[in-house]
Amino acid sequence: MKVKKQIAALVMTGVLAAGGVPAFAAAAPDGYTDAQTTPEAQNGVYAQWQEQWETLKNDWTQVSLSPGADQTQMNFAWYSTTRNVAFRVATDKEMSQSVQQVTVQGTEGPKDKTDTQYYSCKATASNLTPGTYYYQIGDGEPVAFEVQDSSDGFSFIYVGDPQIGSSNELKGTDTAEFYAAQSASVCNDSFNWNNTLEKAVAQAPDASFVLSAGDQIQTNAKKAPNKDATNSEIEYAGYLCPEVLDSLPVATTVGNHDADNPNYTYHFNTANNSELGSNGIVGGDYYYTYGNALFIMLNTQDTNVAEHKQFIEQAVAACPDAKWRIVTLHQDIYGSAEHSNEPEITNLRYQLVPYFEENDIDVVLTGHDHAYSRSQILKGGVKTTEYTDDAFDEMLEKDMDAGENPETRFIAPENIIPTTTEPAEQAYLQYLDAVMDKEAVEETDGSVAVNPEGILYMTANSSSGSKYYDLVPRMQSYIANRWQEDVPTYSVIDIDEDSFTINTYRTDTDEKIDDTFTIVKNEQEEVELPFTDVSKDAWYYDAVAQAYQDKLFLGTSTTTFSPEKNMSRAMFVQVLYNMNGQPKVEGTLPFTDVKKSDWYYDAVLWAYQNKVTAGVSDTKFAPMHDVTREQTAVLLEKYTAANGKDTSARGDLSRYSDADSISTWAKDAVSWAVANKIMVGTDTGKLLPGSNASRAQAAQIMVSYRNTVQ
């Protein structure tokens, strides 16, 4: 503990002596942050860190804290060289006001190169209330930790891929050269990791925990010298060495670098751990609650998606009162850097997303891609073309190949051009277009999503700077924003009763790299409909209720809505007029079949004057003629244009078997309506463009329009 405090003091000394927090030097061409070039390392601070590291790197016994099953618990894990160890929790540093005292019996863990046997020890502190506590292991120094008050909301820090040791470019060989390079890289990466945590805690001093989206360390057993998993223990020493982690719990996710040996399970004590989702080595999925949020942590190194589905359902059922449901997994299923377009990743996306949507997940936090991205609000992404996990490997490499002596860059080159005539390249580009998930995008009001139906997907950049990946050359349609400048980043997430807010910062300037983004969930009062012909079980009930509440529709009488009745031209224009706020109109109409005494006269006059609609002839409007589905698309597109909004979006009509039956004059409007999810196909894959629109269908169309376009 004392060594760590000295290190933390050294880093702060370096920052102050450097005069504030200036920007990093230019990023290294090999895609990692060289700690020696950072302002925190100046004035001999990094040299002293290196000296302290020579002692710290051999300490396997550092403690890790993890969130307990809920905010009243804290989990602990550590190595001991004795099987039985005393564990104490008290409310004072003298440990006289005891809260808990147990003897922990460790389980046999690894041996080091001197044949010293280590035991994996775990304990849980329970019945905690907001305030300061101290824990003591054996006769060690008592260490303070804080239990935050989550009654009015809470904050946590979200990070991606510390991957301590990844800046080492040497492959794992049983040589002095490799071990020296590994030690140097862990020293480098842990310095930067410590800096990120210090900056994050300064930004969010009351953070309840850190959430890591996987890959805590670099060396897995498969690539370790002699396939000896203990070679990663120096990396765990680096990962755990920041003093911040003596008192702040981390909810870790299993990454691919963590997954092939049991060291991960020795170092972390996760709550509600399940065998579902287990790869047989590092345990399965787990969950915990904090405040009004449920956190579901998936081990997707196990690809048994059916088990993940089962676990999600169990976690949701166990926590029915959680207002916010947040899933974390390692793979960036909606990311935007080098991994994001890999078929293995997109296949996992299309397997998991339906289960997330079925269980009303609000946010998915991921890592793996070592670059930041924030998705649009997404719903309904589906796989539209078949491919295997290893398809397009050659094309992906060719497309983003930066050459033999690449200069530092943040966006990969686009070597395969859209006009290529090479069949393999054309197939690759068609695949990329198919996984853009244009149709899944749900429009939001800028940086705020109010009661969204879809899900926000976040991908975290490297938090230690041990490795960076370039962004893919073609930003996906599902991406709202992305960022890479080869600087470590972290996010602060605030959750209260009604909102989830995320801010993401770079560690060199402490500036935000993206706009603040907020999801708002307001409880909406259930509307009591006066209509006896609209059943709560009807597919259109919610649409009719919202349209009635928003005063877009009235009934056909005080007690009937007539959902199956065809929508007339007059009715539909009246709804558009209602939606536009019924502005005052003056003037005359050329139509002899629309009288000033008609209930729809002002609506038709407004629509005619604003070029939303015309007559069926110069003198006839045909107000009682039924309106077809394709006509509703045309009217809505013209209404949108009349209000000065963009109508250039186009959807893929080829997915519908009756696309050829769309009238030529309506094709652009229908394509626009499909792109904006105003019109969706039937269960049989048809749009039915020439079919009359019923009042129920029109209500659904108008509500979809308001939710996605207006």
Side-chain angles (χ1 to χ4, degrees), residues 567-600:
M567 194 78 173
S568 69
R569 282 167 54 82
M571 288 178 183
F572 199 82
V573 168
Q574 182 66 51
V575 170
L576 293 176
Y577 183 53
N578 294 345
M579 187 163 60
N580 208 58
Q582 295 187 352
K584 186 177 180 180
V585 290
E586 294 180 355
T588 59
L589 284 167
F591 309 129
T592 59
D593 55 354
V594 179
K595 300 176 183 178
K596 281 194 173 183
S597 58
D598 291 331
W599 56 266
Y600 46 81

PDB file of all heavy atoms in Angstrom, residues 567-600:
ATOM      1  N   MET A 567     -59.692   5.150 -44.143  1.00  0.00           N
ATOM      2  CA  MET A 567     -59.371   6.566 -43.924  1.00  0.00           C
ATOM      3  C   MET A 567     -59.672   7.330 -45.209  1.00  0.00           C
ATOM      4  O   MET A 567     -59.220   6.953 -46.296  1.00  0.00           O
ATOM      5  CB  MET A 567     -57.892   6.691 -43.568  1.00  0.00           C
ATOM      6  CG  MET A 567     -57.496   8.029 -43.005  1.00  0.00           C
ATOM      7  SD  MET A 567     -57.977   8.138 -41.270  1.00  0.00           S
ATOM      8  CE  MET A 567     -57.209   9.712 -40.837  1.00  0.00           C
ATOM      9  N   SER A 568     -60.407   8.405 -45.095  1.00  0.00           N
ATOM     10  CA  SER A 568     -60.720   9.214 -46.278  1.00  0.00           C
ATOM     11  C   SER A 568     -59.666  10.309 -46.455  1.00  0.00           C
ATOM     12  O   SER A 568     -58.896  10.617 -45.544  1.00  0.00           O
ATOM     13  CB  SER A 568     -62.099   9.857 -46.135  1.00  0.00           C
ATOM     14  OG  SER A 568     -62.080  10.848 -45.126  1.00  0.00           O
ATOM     15  N   ARG A 569     -59.657  10.906 -47.630  1.00  0.00           N
ATOM     16  CA  ARG A 569     -58.725  12.010 -47.901  1.00  0.00           C
ATOM     17  C   ARG A 569     -58.973  13.171 -46.939  1.00  0.00           C
ATOM     18  O   ARG A 569     -58.033  13.786 -46.427  1.00  0.00           O
ATOM     19  CB  ARG A 569     -58.884  12.473 -49.351  1.00  0.00           C
ATOM     20  CG  ARG A 569     -58.210  11.559 -50.352  1.00  0.00           C
ATOM     21  CD  ARG A 569     -58.644  11.860 -51.791  1.00  0.00           C
ATOM     22  NE  ARG A 569     -58.463  13.245 -52.194  1.00  0.00           N
ATOM     23  CZ  ARG A 569     -57.314  13.780 -52.627  1.00  0.00           C
ATOM     24  NH1 ARG A 569     -56.213  13.029 -52.683  1.00  0.00           N
ATOM     25  NH2 ARG A 569     -57.255  15.048 -53.009  1.00  0.00           N
ATOM     26  N   ALA A 570     -60.230  13.443 -46.666  1.00  0.00           N
ATOM     27  CA  ALA A 570     -60.563  14.524 -45.736  1.00  0.00           C
ATOM     28  C   ALA A 570     -60.043  14.221 -44.337  1.00  0.00           C
ATOM     29  O   ALA A 570     -59.477  15.093 -43.662  1.00  0.00           O
ATOM     30  CB  ALA A 570     -62.077  14.739 -45.707  1.00  0.00           C
ATOM     31  N   MET A 571     -60.260  12.976 -43.886  1.00  0.00           N
ATOM     32  CA  MET A 571     -59.794  12.588 -42.550  1.00  0.00           C
ATOM     33  C   MET A 571     -58.282  12.759 -42.422  1.00  0.00           C
ATOM     34  O   MET A 571     -57.776  13.299 -41.429  1.00  0.00           O
ATOM     35  CB  MET A 571     -60.154  11.122 -42.270  1.00  0.00           C
ATOM     36  CG  MET A 571     -61.604  10.829 -42.015  1.00  0.00           C
ATOM     37  SD  MET A 571     -61.822   9.031 -41.767  1.00  0.00           S
ATOM     38  CE  MET A 571     -63.591   8.933 -41.569  1.00  0.00           C
ATOM     39  N   PHE A 572     -57.545  12.287 -43.443  1.00  0.00           N
ATOM     40  CA  PHE A 572     -56.090  12.291 -43.331  1.00  0.00           C
ATOM     41  C   PHE A 572     -55.544  13.721 -43.358  1.00  0.00           C
ATOM     42  O   PHE A 572     -54.640  14.074 -42.598  1.00  0.00           O
ATOM     43  CB  PHE A 572     -55.456  11.473 -44.458  1.00  0.00           C
ATOM     44  CG  PHE A 572     -54.038  11.064 -44.156  1.00  0.00           C
ATOM     45  CD1 PHE A 572     -53.777   9.952 -43.360  1.00  0.00           C
ATOM     46  CD2 PHE A 572     -52.969  11.806 -44.631  1.00  0.00           C
ATOM     47  CE1 PHE A 572     -52.482   9.582 -43.061  1.00  0.00           C
ATOM     48  CE2 PHE A 572     -51.660  11.446 -44.337  1.00  0.00           C
ATOM     49  CZ  PHE A 572     -51.415  10.329 -43.541  1.00  0.00           C
ATOM     50  N   VAL A 573     -56.109  14.558 -44.211  1.00  0.00           N
ATOM     51  CA  VAL A 573     -55.672  15.953 -44.255  1.00  0.00           C
ATOM     52  C   VAL A 573     -56.008  16.651 -42.933  1.00  0.00           C
ATOM     53  O   VAL A 573     -55.231  17.478 -42.436  1.00  0.00           O
ATOM     54  CB  VAL A 573     -56.315  16.679 -45.457  1.00  0.00           C
ATOM     55  CG1 VAL A 573     -56.118  18.175 -45.346  1.00  0.00           C
ATOM     56  CG2 VAL A 573     -55.725  16.168 -46.760  1.00  0.00           C
ATOM     57  N   GLN A 574     -57.139  16.303 -42.341  1.00  0.00           N
ATOM     58  CA  GLN A 574     -57.502  16.890 -41.049  1.00  0.00           C
ATOM     59  C   GLN A 574     -56.477  16.502 -39.978  1.00  0.00           C
ATOM     60  O   GLN A 574     -56.101  17.330 -39.137  1.00  0.00           O
ATOM     61  CB  GLN A 574     -58.901  16.432 -40.629  1.00  0.00           C
ATOM     62  CG  GLN A 574     -59.388  17.029 -39.311  1.00  0.00           C
ATOM     63  CD  GLN A 574     -59.603  18.533 -39.393  1.00  0.00           C
ATOM     64  OE1 GLN A 574     -60.275  19.015 -40.283  1.00  0.00           O
ATOM     65  NE2 GLN A 574     -59.032  19.276 -38.439  1.00  0.00           N
ATOM     66  N   VAL A 575     -56.022  15.262 -39.993  1.00  0.00           N
ATOM     67  CA  VAL A 575     -55.020  14.816 -39.018  1.00  0.00           C
ATOM     68  C   VAL A 575     -53.718  15.597 -39.197  1.00  0.00           C
ATOM     69  O   VAL A 575     -53.091  16.030 -38.221  1.00  0.00           O
ATOM     70  CB  VAL A 575     -54.766  13.295 -39.150  1.00  0.00           C
ATOM     71  CG1 VAL A 575     -53.564  12.876 -38.310  1.00  0.00           C
ATOM     72  CG2 VAL A 575     -55.992  12.519 -38.702  1.00  0.00           C
ATOM     73  N   LEU A 576     -53.311  15.801 -40.457  1.00  0.00           N
ATOM     74  CA  LEU A 576     -52.100  16.590 -40.710  1.00  0.00           C
ATOM     75  C   LEU A 576     -52.267  18.026 -40.199  1.00  0.00           C
ATOM     76  O   LEU A 576     -51.343  18.611 -39.623  1.00  0.00           O
ATOM     77  CB  LEU A 576     -51.779  16.608 -42.206  1.00  0.00           C
ATOM     78  CG  LEU A 576     -51.350  15.273 -42.827  1.00  0.00           C
ATOM     79  CD1 LEU A 576     -51.174  15.430 -44.337  1.00  0.00           C
ATOM     80  CD2 LEU A 576     -50.058  14.773 -42.202  1.00  0.00           C
ATOM     81  N   TYR A 577     -53.432  18.576 -40.420  1.00  0.00           N
ATOM     82  CA  TYR A 577     -53.745  19.940 -39.962  1.00  0.00           C
ATOM     83  C   TYR A 577     -53.708  20.004 -38.429  1.00  0.00           C
ATOM     84  O   TYR A 577     -53.170  20.948 -37.838  1.00  0.00           O
ATOM     85  CB  TYR A 577     -55.115  20.332 -40.499  1.00  0.00           C
ATOM     86  CG  TYR A 577     -55.566  21.742 -40.178  1.00  0.00           C
ATOM     87  CD1 TYR A 577     -54.767  22.848 -40.478  1.00  0.00           C
ATOM     88  CD2 TYR A 577     -56.817  21.962 -39.602  1.00  0.00           C
ATOM     89  CE1 TYR A 577     -55.212  24.139 -40.210  1.00  0.00           C
ATOM     90  CE2 TYR A 577     -57.270  23.245 -39.328  1.00  0.00           C
ATOM     91  CZ  TYR A 577     -56.456  24.331 -39.635  1.00  0.00           C
ATOM     92  OH  TYR A 577     -56.897  25.606 -39.373  1.00  0.00           O
ATOM     93  N   ASN A 578     -54.262  18.968 -37.782  1.00  0.00           N
ATOM     94  CA  ASN A 578     -54.219  18.899 -36.314  1.00  0.00           C
ATOM     95  C   ASN A 578     -52.771  18.844 -35.825  1.00  0.00           C
ATOM     96  O   ASN A 578     -52.403  19.510 -34.858  1.00  0.00           O
ATOM     97  CB  ASN A 578     -54.967  17.670 -35.810  1.00  0.00           C
ATOM     98  CG  ASN A 578     -56.457  17.727 -36.094  1.00  0.00           C
ATOM     99  OD1 ASN A 578     -57.000  18.788 -36.416  1.00  0.00           O
ATOM    100  ND2 ASN A 578     -57.114  16.583 -35.981  1.00  0.00           N
ATOM    101  N   MET A 579     -51.978  18.040 -36.490  1.00  0.00           N
ATOM    102  CA  MET A 579     -50.587  17.867 -36.085  1.00  0.00           C
ATOM    103  C   MET A 579     -49.806  19.163 -36.250  1.00  0.00           C
ATOM    104  O   MET A 579     -48.851  19.424 -35.514  1.00  0.00           O
ATOM    105  CB  MET A 579     -49.940  16.737 -36.894  1.00  0.00           C
ATOM    106  CG  MET A 579     -48.540  16.367 -36.434  1.00  0.00           C
ATOM    107  SD  MET A 579     -47.996  14.751 -37.047  1.00  0.00           S
ATOM    108  CE  MET A 579     -48.074  15.008 -38.816  1.00  0.00           C
ATOM    109  N   ASN A 580     -50.217  19.981 -37.186  1.00  0.00           N
ATOM    110  CA  ASN A 580     -49.523  21.252 -37.433  1.00  0.00           C
ATOM    111  C   ASN A 580     -50.039  22.382 -36.539  1.00  0.00           C
ATOM    112  O   ASN A 580     -49.628  23.530 -36.685  1.00  0.00           O
ATOM    113  CB  ASN A 580     -49.672  21.647 -38.903  1.00  0.00           C
ATOM    114  CG  ASN A 580     -48.518  22.485 -39.400  1.00  0.00           C
ATOM    115  OD1 ASN A 580     -47.371  22.062 -39.346  1.00  0.00           O
ATOM    116  ND2 ASN A 580     -48.817  23.690 -39.879  1.00  0.00           N
ATOM    117  N   GLY A 581     -50.933  22.043 -35.631  1.00  0.00           N
ATOM    118  CA  GLY A 581     -51.410  23.037 -34.677  1.00  0.00           C
ATOM    119  C   GLY A 581     -52.610  23.836 -35.117  1.00  0.00           C
ATOM    120  O   GLY A 581     -52.948  24.859 -34.494  1.00  0.00           O
ATOM    121  N   GLN A 582     -53.275  23.405 -36.205  1.00  0.00           N
ATOM    122  CA  GLN A 582     -54.466  24.082 -36.723  1.00  0.00           C
ATOM    123  C   GLN A 582     -54.253  25.594 -36.879  1.00  0.00           C
ATOM    124  O   GLN A 582     -54.970  26.416 -36.287  1.00  0.00           O
ATOM    125  CB  GLN A 582     -55.670  23.817 -35.816  1.00  0.00           C
ATOM    126  CG  GLN A 582     -56.101  22.372 -35.772  1.00  0.00           C
ATOM    127  CD  GLN A 582     -57.392  22.164 -34.992  1.00  0.00           C
ATOM    128  OE1 GLN A 582     -57.916  23.074 -34.351  1.00  0.00           O
ATOM    129  NE2 GLN A 582     -57.926  20.957 -35.065  1.00  0.00           N
ATOM    130  N   PRO A 583     -53.274  26.000 -37.684  1.00  0.00           N
ATOM    131  CA  PRO A 583     -53.042  27.441 -37.883  1.00  0.00           C
ATOM    132  C   PRO A 583     -54.246  28.105 -38.560  1.00  0.00           C
ATOM    133  O   PRO A 583     -54.978  27.471 -39.324  1.00  0.00           O
ATOM    134  CB  PRO A 583     -51.809  27.471 -38.787  1.00  0.00           C
ATOM    135  CG  PRO A 583     -51.817  26.153 -39.495  1.00  0.00           C
ATOM    136  CD  PRO A 583     -52.377  25.172 -38.509  1.00  0.00           C
ATOM    137  N   LYS A 584     -54.408  29.391 -38.291  1.00  0.00           N
ATOM    138  CA  LYS A 584     -55.526  30.136 -38.884  1.00  0.00           C
ATOM    139  C   LYS A 584     -55.308  30.269 -40.388  1.00  0.00           C
ATOM    140  O   LYS A 584     -54.201  30.543 -40.850  1.00  0.00           O
ATOM    141  CB  LYS A 584     -55.625  31.520 -38.252  1.00  0.00           C
ATOM    142  CG  LYS A 584     -56.841  32.320 -38.710  1.00  0.00           C
ATOM    143  CD  LYS A 584     -56.920  33.658 -37.986  1.00  0.00           C
ATOM    144  CE  LYS A 584     -58.139  34.434 -38.460  1.00  0.00           C
ATOM    145  NZ  LYS A 584     -58.246  35.766 -37.767  1.00  0.00           N
ATOM    146  N   VAL A 585     -56.341  30.042 -41.168  1.00  0.00           N
ATOM    147  CA  VAL A 585     -56.232  30.121 -42.626  1.00  0.00           C
ATOM    148  C   VAL A 585     -57.286  31.081 -43.178  1.00  0.00           C
ATOM    149  O   VAL A 585     -58.363  31.257 -42.598  1.00  0.00           O
ATOM    150  CB  VAL A 585     -56.401  28.734 -43.280  1.00  0.00           C
ATOM    151  CG1 VAL A 585     -55.201  27.851 -42.977  1.00  0.00           C
ATOM    152  CG2 VAL A 585     -57.698  28.056 -42.821  1.00  0.00           C
ATOM    153  N   GLU A 586     -56.943  31.686 -44.286  1.00  0.00           N
ATOM    154  CA  GLU A 586     -57.871  32.561 -45.001  1.00  0.00           C
ATOM    155  C   GLU A 586     -57.725  32.300 -46.487  1.00  0.00           C
ATOM    156  O   GLU A 586     -56.649  31.952 -46.963  1.00  0.00           O
ATOM    157  CB  GLU A 586     -57.571  34.030 -44.703  1.00  0.00           C
ATOM    158  CG  GLU A 586     -57.822  34.445 -43.269  1.00  0.00           C
ATOM    159  CD  GLU A 586     -57.505  35.909 -43.032  1.00  0.00           C
ATOM    160  OE1 GLU A 586     -57.001  36.555 -43.975  1.00  0.00           O
ATOM    161  OE2 GLU A 586     -57.768  36.398 -41.923  1.00  0.00           O
ATOM    162  N   GLY A 587     -58.791  32.482 -47.216  1.00  0.00           N
ATOM    163  CA  GLY A 587     -58.732  32.287 -48.650  1.00  0.00           C
ATOM    164  C   GLY A 587     -59.850  31.396 -49.132  1.00  0.00           C
ATOM    165  O   GLY A 587     -60.757  31.025 -48.386  1.00  0.00           O
ATOM    166  N   THR A 588     -59.775  31.053 -50.407  1.00  0.00           N
ATOM    167  CA  THR A 588     -60.807  30.227 -51.022  1.00  0.00           C
ATOM    168  C   THR A 588     -60.177  29.032 -51.712  1.00  0.00           C
ATOM    169  O   THR A 588     -58.984  29.025 -52.027  1.00  0.00           O
ATOM    170  CB  THR A 588     -61.613  31.036 -52.047  1.00  0.00           C
ATOM    171  OG1 THR A 588     -60.717  31.529 -53.049  1.00  0.00           O
ATOM    172  CG2 THR A 588     -62.340  32.196 -51.368  1.00  0.00           C
ATOM    173  N   LEU A 589     -61.012  28.026 -51.951  1.00  0.00           N
ATOM    174  CA  LEU A 589     -60.580  26.806 -52.624  1.00  0.00           C
ATOM    175  C   LEU A 589     -61.199  26.730 -54.014  1.00  0.00           C
ATOM    176  O   LEU A 589     -62.333  27.182 -54.228  1.00  0.00           O
ATOM    177  CB  LEU A 589     -61.019  25.577 -51.819  1.00  0.00           C
ATOM    178  CG  LEU A 589     -60.213  25.250 -50.558  1.00  0.00           C
ATOM    179  CD1 LEU A 589     -60.954  24.213 -49.726  1.00  0.00           C
ATOM    180  CD2 LEU A 589     -58.826  24.733 -50.936  1.00  0.00           C
ATOM    181  N   PRO A 590     -60.504  26.094 -54.964  1.00  0.00           N
ATOM    182  CA  PRO A 590     -61.080  25.921 -56.299  1.00  0.00           C
ATOM    183  C   PRO A 590     -61.987  24.694 -56.389  1.00  0.00           C
ATOM    184  O   PRO A 590     -62.544  24.425 -57.449  1.00  0.00           O
ATOM    185  CB  PRO A 590     -59.836  25.740 -57.180  1.00  0.00           C
ATOM    186  CG  PRO A 590     -58.844  25.084 -56.276  1.00  0.00           C
ATOM    187  CD  PRO A 590     -59.093  25.659 -54.914  1.00  0.00           C
ATOM    188  N   PHE A 591     -62.122  23.965 -55.268  1.00  0.00           N
ATOM    189  CA  PHE A 591     -62.843  22.690 -55.315  1.00  0.00           C
ATOM    190  C   PHE A 591     -64.336  22.891 -55.020  1.00  0.00           C
ATOM    191  O   PHE A 591     -64.714  23.410 -53.960  1.00  0.00           O
ATOM    192  CB  PHE A 591     -62.250  21.708 -54.304  1.00  0.00           C
ATOM    193  CG  PHE A 591     -60.754  21.573 -54.415  1.00  0.00           C
ATOM    194  CD1 PHE A 591     -59.950  21.713 -53.297  1.00  0.00           C
ATOM    195  CD2 PHE A 591     -60.159  21.305 -55.646  1.00  0.00           C
ATOM    196  CE1 PHE A 591     -58.577  21.581 -53.388  1.00  0.00           C
ATOM    197  CE2 PHE A 591     -58.786  21.168 -55.752  1.00  0.00           C
ATOM    198  CZ  PHE A 591     -57.979  21.317 -54.616  1.00  0.00           C
ATOM    199  N   THR A 592     -65.139  22.436 -55.928  1.00  0.00           N
ATOM    200  CA  THR A 592     -66.592  22.600 -55.763  1.00  0.00           C
ATOM    201  C   THR A 592     -67.187  21.591 -54.793  1.00  0.00           C
ATOM    202  O   THR A 592     -68.329  21.754 -54.354  1.00  0.00           O
ATOM    203  CB  THR A 592     -67.290  22.442 -57.133  1.00  0.00           C
ATOM    204  OG1 THR A 592     -66.986  21.149 -57.671  1.00  0.00           O
ATOM    205  CG2 THR A 592     -66.821  23.528 -58.095  1.00  0.00           C
ATOM    206  N   ASP A 593     -66.414  20.555 -54.445  1.00  0.00           N
ATOM    207  CA  ASP A 593     -66.954  19.538 -53.542  1.00  0.00           C
ATOM    208  C   ASP A 593     -66.470  19.730 -52.103  1.00  0.00           C
ATOM    209  O   ASP A 593     -66.598  18.823 -51.268  1.00  0.00           O
ATOM    210  CB  ASP A 593     -66.589  18.126 -54.035  1.00  0.00           C
ATOM    211  CG  ASP A 593     -65.097  17.922 -54.239  1.00  0.00           C
ATOM    212  OD1 ASP A 593     -64.332  18.900 -54.113  1.00  0.00           O
ATOM    213  OD2 ASP A 593     -64.687  16.776 -54.532  1.00  0.00           O
ATOM    214  N   VAL A 594     -65.914  20.897 -51.797  1.00  0.00           N
ATOM    215  CA  VAL A 594     -65.530  21.221 -50.416  1.00  0.00           C
ATOM    216  C   VAL A 594     -66.188  22.546 -50.054  1.00  0.00           C
ATOM    217  O   VAL A 594     -65.832  23.600 -50.591  1.00  0.00           O
ATOM    218  CB  VAL A 594     -63.996  21.320 -50.251  1.00  0.00           C
ATOM    219  CG1 VAL A 594     -63.652  21.675 -48.801  1.00  0.00           C
ATOM    220  CG2 VAL A 594     -63.316  20.021 -50.654  1.00  0.00           C
ATOM    221  N   LYS A 595     -67.169  22.490 -49.148  1.00  0.00           N
ATOM    222  CA  LYS A 595     -67.917  23.675 -48.759  1.00  0.00           C
ATOM    223  C   LYS A 595     -67.375  24.269 -47.463  1.00  0.00           C
ATOM    224  O   LYS A 595     -66.817  23.563 -46.632  1.00  0.00           O
ATOM    225  CB  LYS A 595     -69.399  23.308 -48.568  1.00  0.00           C
ATOM    226  CG  LYS A 595     -70.057  22.756 -49.815  1.00  0.00           C
ATOM    227  CD  LYS A 595     -71.494  22.324 -49.519  1.00  0.00           C
ATOM    228  CE  LYS A 595     -72.137  21.707 -50.768  1.00  0.00           C
ATOM    229  NZ  LYS A 595     -73.516  21.238 -50.479  1.00  0.00           N
ATOM    230  N   LYS A 596     -67.549  25.563 -47.290  1.00  0.00           N
ATOM    231  CA  LYS A 596     -67.064  26.231 -46.090  1.00  0.00           C
ATOM    232  C   LYS A 596     -67.688  25.667 -44.823  1.00  0.00           C
ATOM    233  O   LYS A 596     -67.126  25.774 -43.736  1.00  0.00           O
ATOM    234  CB  LYS A 596     -67.326  27.734 -46.171  1.00  0.00           C
ATOM    235  CG  LYS A 596     -66.334  28.484 -47.041  1.00  0.00           C
ATOM    236  CD  LYS A 596     -66.434  29.984 -46.817  1.00  0.00           C
ATOM    237  CE  LYS A 596     -65.317  30.708 -47.582  1.00  0.00           C
ATOM    238  NZ  LYS A 596     -65.352  32.166 -47.326  1.00  0.00           N
ATOM    239  N   SER A 597     -68.834  25.074 -44.947  1.00  0.00           N
ATOM    240  CA  SER A 597     -69.510  24.509 -43.774  1.00  0.00           C
ATOM    241  C   SER A 597     -69.004  23.112 -43.419  1.00  0.00           C
ATOM    242  O   SER A 597     -69.356  22.567 -42.373  1.00  0.00           O
ATOM    243  CB  SER A 597     -71.018  24.449 -44.019  1.00  0.00           C
ATOM    244  OG  SER A 597     -71.298  23.670 -45.188  1.00  0.00           O
ATOM    245  N   ASP A 598     -68.195  22.521 -44.276  1.00  0.00           N
ATOM    246  CA  ASP A 598     -67.677  21.173 -44.011  1.00  0.00           C
ATOM    247  C   ASP A 598     -66.650  21.204 -42.875  1.00  0.00           C
ATOM    248  O   ASP A 598     -65.836  22.139 -42.776  1.00  0.00           O
ATOM    249  CB  ASP A 598     -67.014  20.600 -45.269  1.00  0.00           C
ATOM    250  CG  ASP A 598     -68.012  20.279 -46.369  1.00  0.00           C
ATOM    251  OD1 ASP A 598     -69.170  19.976 -46.018  1.00  0.00           O
ATOM    252  OD2 ASP A 598     -67.633  20.330 -47.552  1.00  0.00           O
ATOM    253  N   TRP A 599     -66.672  20.182 -42.019  1.00  0.00           N
ATOM    254  CA  TRP A 599     -65.776  20.140 -40.849  1.00  0.00           C
ATOM    255  C   TRP A 599     -64.300  20.115 -41.241  1.00  0.00           C
ATOM    256  O   TRP A 599     -63.418  20.470 -40.467  1.00  0.00           O
ATOM    257  CB  TRP A 599     -66.098  18.932 -39.963  1.00  0.00           C
ATOM    258  CG  TRP A 599     -66.052  17.581 -40.667  1.00  0.00           C
ATOM    259  CD1 TRP A 599     -67.104  16.941 -41.229  1.00  0.00           C
ATOM    260  CD2 TRP A 599     -64.904  16.743 -40.871  1.00  0.00           C
ATOM    261  NE1 TRP A 599     -66.711  15.739 -41.780  1.00  0.00           N
ATOM    262  CE2 TRP A 599     -65.352  15.585 -41.559  1.00  0.00           C
ATOM    263  CE3 TRP A 599     -63.568  16.825 -40.540  1.00  0.00           C
ATOM    264  CZ2 TRP A 599     -64.502  14.551 -41.928  1.00  0.00           C
ATOM    265  CZ3 TRP A 599     -62.711  15.786 -40.893  1.00  0.00           C
ATOM    266  CH2 TRP A 599     -63.172  14.668 -41.584  1.00  0.00           C
ATOM    267  N   TYR A 600     -64.002  19.743 -42.488  1.00  0.00           N
ATOM    268  CA  TYR A 600     -62.617  19.611 -42.932  1.00  0.00           C
ATOM    269  C   TYR A 600     -62.186  20.775 -43.826  1.00  0.00           C
ATOM    270  O   TYR A 600     -61.094  20.750 -44.385  1.00  0.00           O
ATOM    271  CB  TYR A 600     -62.437  18.291 -43.691  1.00  0.00           C
ATOM    272  CG  TYR A 600     -63.524  18.008 -44.702  1.00  0.00           C
ATOM    273  CD1 TYR A 600     -63.514  18.588 -45.974  1.00  0.00           C
ATOM    274  CD2 TYR A 600     -64.586  17.160 -44.389  1.00  0.00           C
ATOM    275  CE1 TYR A 600     -64.511  18.344 -46.896  1.00  0.00           C
ATOM    276  CE2 TYR A 600     -65.596  16.901 -45.304  1.00  0.00           C
ATOM    277  CZ  TYR A 600     -65.555  17.488 -46.561  1.00  0.00           C
ATOM    278  OH  TYR A 600     -66.551  17.237 -47.475  1.00  0.00           O
TER     279      TYR A 600
END
